Amino acid sequence: MLAADVLALARRGDGEAFRLLVEPYRRELQVHCYRILGSVQDAEDLLQDTLLAAWRGIAGYEGRASVRTWLYRIATNRCLNALRADTRRPRVYSAESEFTLPEPTHRRVEPSWLEPYPDALLDELADDVPGPEARYEMRESVSLAFLAALQELPPRQRAVLVLRDVLGFRAAEVAAILDVTENAVTGALKRARAAMAVPDRESAPLPDSPRERRIVDDFARAFQAGDVDAVVAMLTDDAWLTMPPLPLEYRGLEDVRHFLATVALREGNDHVLVPTRANGQPAFGCYLRDPRTPILHAHGVLVLTLSGDRICAVTRFVDNALLAAFGLPRTLRPRDDR
């Protein structure tokens, strides 16, 4: 069936035709909402809101822009409305019942709502991106460092930067999406680029390359063994450790060493790490063995940021509900250990 025929049927209220029309853009729209909002949960909510708005408005779609651009207009403005309304609430987590945290010497980098995005979902986009360089750029645009810096921008600058620099929309298209002038788009983009503070790191190894696997395997082995010295030896001198949504950041080898020795890898903590991937980076489902039973309980999602052959950031997302997005259970039994 021709695209024009599908569009005509969708305009007449044919649900299956509408699904065929929007389905090719579903995943990229979700990732777009994720970049703007920083939260997988919020991105999925806004994606559903976008599709509902598109269904209700399809009869009025005149075809002046492509279906993709039309959907991005709806999604972007729904995200900006959500940010203006401040409907999101910071994720609150109390660790007092688990451990006493040492006082950090630095402010937390990530916003409290930042969540990891499973690579299994990104792979659906990567399959449509031609060439290794373009795939690398796509993954960099969802890296934790990029996402954290992006969240510091005012909402409209954030949207302009994503639409122009990440997605490649022309200035005129972005102006139409946001209902502003091209001059406003140009000015917002200039300010956004100047404000972005993504660290200039040595290039990370290619995903799933022998070099990356060696680093990840060494880290998992040391962490599961509780070997603080071995973990610290793998870090860059200015490495940092954070635990969103807790407003804490431990930066530098001594701070990180102290945290590992007194909290994460203190005597009696027996971890099992289940490999996965998030934001184009190596990650683990983290489990802690119950000393009274053979069961291992979920202990968050751990994401590594690599720089060359070393680790420059360890981010532990403490919300165990995030494990479901990675297809990981809340508990493991001994036979499940991997």
Side-chain angles (χ1 to χ4, degrees):
M1 187 182 297
L2 296 176
D5 296 330
V6 174
L7 177 57
L9 287 172
R11 282 173 170 160
R12 292 199 293 268
D14 187 313
E16 179 59 20
F18 177 77
R19 187 192 68 79
L20 290 173
L21 195 68
V22 303
E23 189 63 29
Y25 310 109
R26 175 184 288 269
R27 182 62 65 207
E28 64 175 284
L29 286 169
Q30 187 197 48
V31 174
H32 176 59
C33 293
Y34 172 67
R35 289 187 180 107
I36 301 279
L37 302 172
S39 161
V40 179
Q41 298 175 56
D42 292 340
E44 180 59 27
D45 290 345
L46 266 295
L47 171 64
Q48 296 307 319
D49 189 28
T50 295
L51 296 178
L52 179 59
W55 169 246
R56 289 173 173 170
I58 186 65
Y61 169 60
E62 299 177 350
R64 294 176 183 172
S66 67
V67 170
R68 179 175 182 265
T69 301
W70 176 64
L71 290 171
Y72 268 98
R73 178 187 177 101
I74 298 172
T76 302
N77 284 287
R78 286 297 188 280
C79 287
L80 293 178
N81 288 341
L83 292 174
R84 290 189 197 103
D86 196 23
T87 54
R88 298 178 304 166
R89 295 290 180 269
R91 283 27 170 180
V92 177
Y93 179 86
S94 173
E96 292 178 1
S97 61
E98 295 183 38
F99 40 69
T100 300
L101 295 170
E103 187 66 26
T105 56
H106 296 85
R107 184 178 63 85
R108 173 186 46 77
V109 171
E110 293 92 347
S112 63
W113 58 83
L114 187 64
E115 296 174 344
Y117 195 92
D119 268 28
L121 303 182
L122 290 176
D123 288 343
E124 298 176 24
L125 289 183
D127 290 342
D128 297 328
V129 176
E133 184 175 342
R135 284 193 290 273
Y136 175 80
E137 290 178 355
M138 187 275 291
R139 290 185 181 276
E140 281 292 292
S141 73
V142 290
S143 69
L144 290 183
F146 181 81
L147 262 293
L150 195 61
Q151 301 304 301
E152 297 295 321
L153 296 177
R156 180 166 289 182
Q157 289 183 27
R158 197 182 311 175
V160 168
L161 184 78
V162 170
L163 290 168
R164 289 284 283 122
D165 284 359
V166 176
L167 296 170
F169 283 102
R170 301 189 309 274
E173 292 175 308
V174 176
I177 287 172
L178 297 176
D179 196 22
V180 297
T181 66
E182 286 190 50
N183 284 340
V185 168
T186 301
L189 181 61
K190 183 177 180 180
R191 291 189 296 273
R193 286 172 174 169
M196 285 291 281
V198 179
D200 184 17
R201 300 284 188 181
E202 186 179 345
S203 296
L206 292 174
D208 204 34
S209 63
R211 184 180 171 203
E212 186 194 73
R213 286 196 298 271
R214 175 181 58 77
I215 298 168
V216 173
D217 290 347
D218 287 349
F219 175 87
R221 188 161 41 249
F223 197 91
Q224 291 176 133
D227 190 337
V228 174
D229 289 338
V231 171
V232 171
M234 299 182 67
L235 305 178
T236 60
D237 292 343
D238 61 347
W240 44 270
L241 183 152
T242 54
M243 296 173 289
L246 297 178
L248 306 172
E249 176 187 338
Y250 301 93
R251 177 167 292 189
L253 297 182
E254 290 310 308
D255 273 7
V256 174
R257 179 192 296 276
H258 181 63
F259 176 85
L260 293 175
T262 59
V263 180
L265 300 182
R266 73 181 189 271
E267 188 175 353
N269 278 1
D270 186 4
H271 290 92
V272 168
L273 300 182
V274 178
T276 185
R277 296 193 66 85
N279 299 80
Q281 301 169 218
F284 304 93
C286 188
Y287 295 84
L288 191 61
R289 196 177 302 277
D290 187 331
R292 296 159 296 185
T293 72
I295 295 175
L296 296 104
H297 296 284
H299 211 56
V301 176
L302 200 66
V303 183
L304 304 181
T305 302
L306 306 186
S307 177
D309 289 326
R310 302 173 78 187
I311 299 166
C312 60
V314 179
T315 309
R316 179 199 159 204
F317 295 91
V318 301
D319 185 358
N320 290 326
L322 295 171
L323 289 163
F326 294 85
L328 296 172
R330 295 291 286 264
T331 60
L332 287 178
R333 296 183 180 276
R335 64 176 179 275
D336 299 324
D337 291 8
R338 286 182 272 175

